[in-house]
Amino acid sequence: MKNKTPKIKIKLKRSQRLTKMGQIIYLTCSNFDANNLWESAASCSFGFIFSFVPLALIILTVLVGILRVSPGILEYVNVFAQEIESIVDIRPFLNNIINKRNFHIVDVFLAFWIIWMARKLFQSIVRALYKIFNSVTKRRGILNQAIMFISEFIIVIIIAAIIIFTFSFNQLVTSNFFEPLQEFLPSIVSQNSHTIVTIAMYFIIFFCTLLAYKFISGINPPLWMCFIYSLLDTLCFYLISLWVSEFINLTNYNIVYGTISTIIVLMMKVYFFFLFFLFFAQMIYVTQNFQLLLKCEVYLLPASERHGWMLKLRRMLFINPAALKTTTNTKTCEPGDTVFNAGDKAENVYYIRTGTITEHIDGSPDVIYEKGSFVGDTLCLLDQTFRGYGIATTNCKLIVFSEDEFKELMKKSPKAASKALAKMSEI
């Protein structure tokens, strides 16, 4: 059994790292559009409108029902509830819970029923993530519904726990021990501060996003990757929310739409959130499968004679895929060097990063392969031999794909396989 030489990645230069980042962004955008995630974001935001009020009510039920023994936290819940007061008036609901002395089995049933009715949002999110990550382990039927239900219930408990923690933290920093802090940061540590409530809400968004990326994707991405993209998602949502709050005057829209304008603006923010959420989920998929996607994109590169700025940008980004280089798959040739001989079995496929190769075939015109071309791809798939001698006519830099590596690409990429079939039909 042959010992395979380990493939060690070649360290990229700064310009090559920037190019790699551009390739990741391009692949993310192209896959985002191909998966039609614009509509998925709209579906998730629509589901949110149906799920938001039930979930908010059940969270408040947990908080008030369990912790009404502490009058202080009731005031804190009221501050937290003001964030949704323009959407739905929950004061009668809160008063009704506060005035109740005991919980009955009916209350428990209603709590589970509210969560069950709110599952539409989670189903929309899961369907969108399945579309992104091509998950093949989709759960269906009763098991799927049970998992949705349990997930929503756990999230409700987590959100309630975060609210309790922020209340406890607020109570702590308002004590006499932290009096110097109160003088410097009054907007944060005051009892009725909206700042700490806002921080808690964005932390909830970050935490739920992290859980979704890690556990719903089906491919178990690294925790550090989920953390970074969850943080970016939350930051982008914060910035867009800030922009909407600064530049959209609800007073103007209230004249036309009435109180529904608040819901319209909320839905706009939610839509942008899910756009960012799905975009960064797509970026996780691209980052984790970058090598395969890069090989596919290089193989599908448009011809140099194609017009259009998008095609030119695509060719510019992927024509020199430095991120594919390893210590074992790179080859440099000088003018006159033989790349392959007539009769050699096409066990390797050559991608020309730079330079030109001319294939001399007895009794036939020479075939010229230029920068961005694949040499021997169809022959490799058909287990055939080279017809002529491949000679480097200029200084060449090649990336060499083994037979197994190239055939694996054909198996995993239907688009690449389709192009290969089209080339074989022209032979």
Side-chain angles (χ1 to χ4, degrees), residues 106-126:
V106 177
D107 298 307
V108 177
F109 171 77
L110 289 176
F112 278 84
W113 178 254
I114 290 173
I115 298 176
W116 180 259
M117 292 301 292
R119 73 189 187 278
K120 183 175 179 62
L121 169 63
F122 292 85
Q123 288 177 333
S124 299
I125 294 173
V126 169

Side-chain angles (χ1 to χ4, degrees), residues 312-414:
K312 291 179 179 178
L313 172 64
R314 181 180 171 190
R315 187 172 174 83
M316 181 185 70
L317 277 174
F318 295 97
I319 193 69
N320 191 0
L324 291 180
K325 295 191 302 180
T326 67
T327 53
T328 59
N329 72 353
T330 56
K331 184 174 182 178
T332 302
C333 300
E334 296 180 355
D337 288 351
T338 300
V339 181
F340 53 85
N341 293 299
D344 288 348
K345 186 179 178 181
E347 295 179 342
N348 293 316
V349 177
Y350 302 96
Y351 173 73
I352 305 175
R353 288 177 54 215
T354 61
T356 303
I357 294 175
T358 301
E359 184 178 9
H360 301 285
I361 305 173
D362 292 339
S364 300
D366 291 345
V367 180
I368 298 176
Y369 300 98
E370 297 180 335
K371 177 180 178 180
S373 300
F374 276 80
V375 183
D377 51 339
T378 56
L379 299 176
C380 176
L381 294 174
L382 295 171
D383 291 324
Q384 294 182 353
T385 59
F386 288 103
R387 296 171 57 197
Y389 297 86
I391 307 297
T393 52
T394 64
N395 290 317
C396 294
K397 293 181 179 179
L398 310 175
I399 293 180
V400 183
F401 295 91
S402 67
E403 181 180 2
D404 293 339
E405 188 179 8
F406 188 73
K407 288 182 177 179
E408 186 69 16
L409 172 63
M410 296 297 109
K411 290 179 182 178
K412 293 185 176 180
S413 173

